[in-house]
Amino acid sequence: LFETGIYVSSSSTNPTGQLYQISIGSLFMLELSRQGDKIIIEVDQDPFSASGEEYIGSFSLDTWTTLRIECYTMAEENGIEVPHLKLWIDNIISGDSTNYTGYGKSAPNDAGFTNVQIYTLVSASAECYFDNVYVRKLTKTYDAYDDSVWDDRN
């Protein structure tokens, strides 16, 4: 589980293009890009190529937004275990993805959700703030039909 408040300022941001990458362990890479007055979030199979991105949500510039990312290392789907990522934006489900790093090229790495890394790109010009960052190992199992925000802090 990775949860944070995020604020991206429009006055100091490139008008278009990729700004940040959020790496969830060795399983998922999220790319945050600006398109107009929105920040677009995509899950990327291969962060070194221009293909394999899957759109999973967006949020507005100049507004505090809460991102919640739940990562399930191995959830069974049609008899095969695959990693899943669920994204909530301001407590509303925005995306559910199996687009793990290396999808279609290699089996998922079951190293799991061991860390979160946030990168800015050298070409990016952006002023971004994070607040109330929270990281914790999930204790619940993946449920494709459960779109409620489940708070395991209690």
Side-chain angles (χ1 to χ4, degrees):
L1 167 68
F2 171 68
E3 186 172 286
T4 186
I6 185 171
Y7 180 95
V8 181
S9 171
S10 62
S11 64
S12 65
T13 307
N14 294 346
T16 60
Q18 190 179 9
L19 302 173
Y20 298 100
Q21 292 178 329
I22 300 175
S23 174
I24 308 294
S26 59
L27 287 174
F28 291 100
M29 175 70 73
L30 281 75
E31 294 184 348
L32 282 67
S33 303
R34 180 172 177 182
Q35 290 182 7
D37 63 348
K38 298 274 187 196
I39 297 294
I40 305 301
I41 304 173
E42 296 174 313
V43 180
D44 194 355
Q45 296 171 9
D46 183 356
F48 301 106
S49 83
S51 63
E53 291 91 6
E54 174 188 15
Y55 171 86
I56 61 168
S58 67
F59 62 93
S60 297
L61 292 164
D62 300 319
T63 303
W64 276 103
T65 301
T66 300
L67 298 182
R68 179 184 177 96
I69 301 165
E70 290 185 1
C71 182
Y72 302 88
T73 54
M74 292 293 158
E76 190 168 317
E77 185 173 284
N78 300 324
I80 300 170
E81 290 188 332
V82 294
H84 276 264
L85 178 140
K86 282 189 173 186
L87 171 69
W88 279 263
I89 298 175
D90 289 332
N91 296 324
I92 298 171
I93 188 75
S94 178
D96 186 337
S97 177
T98 58
N99 203 28
Y100 64 88
T101 301
Y103 181 86
K105 297 178 184 172
S106 63
N109 179 347
D110 196 15
F113 176 52
T114 56
N115 59 50
V116 175
Q117 299 174 4
I118 301 171
Y119 305 90
T120 185
L121 298 160
V122 174
S123 61
S125 171
E127 186 175 324
C128 180
Y129 301 94
F130 294 91
D131 193 17
N132 299 319
V133 176
Y134 181 78
V135 179
R136 181 175 175 172
K137 183 176 181 177
L138 282 174
T139 56
K140 69 176 187 169
T141 57
Y142 175 77
D143 181 350
Y145 303 104
D146 180 11
D147 291 340
S148 61
V149 174
W150 186 78
D151 189 356
D152 67 348
R153 288 181 254 189
N154 299 324

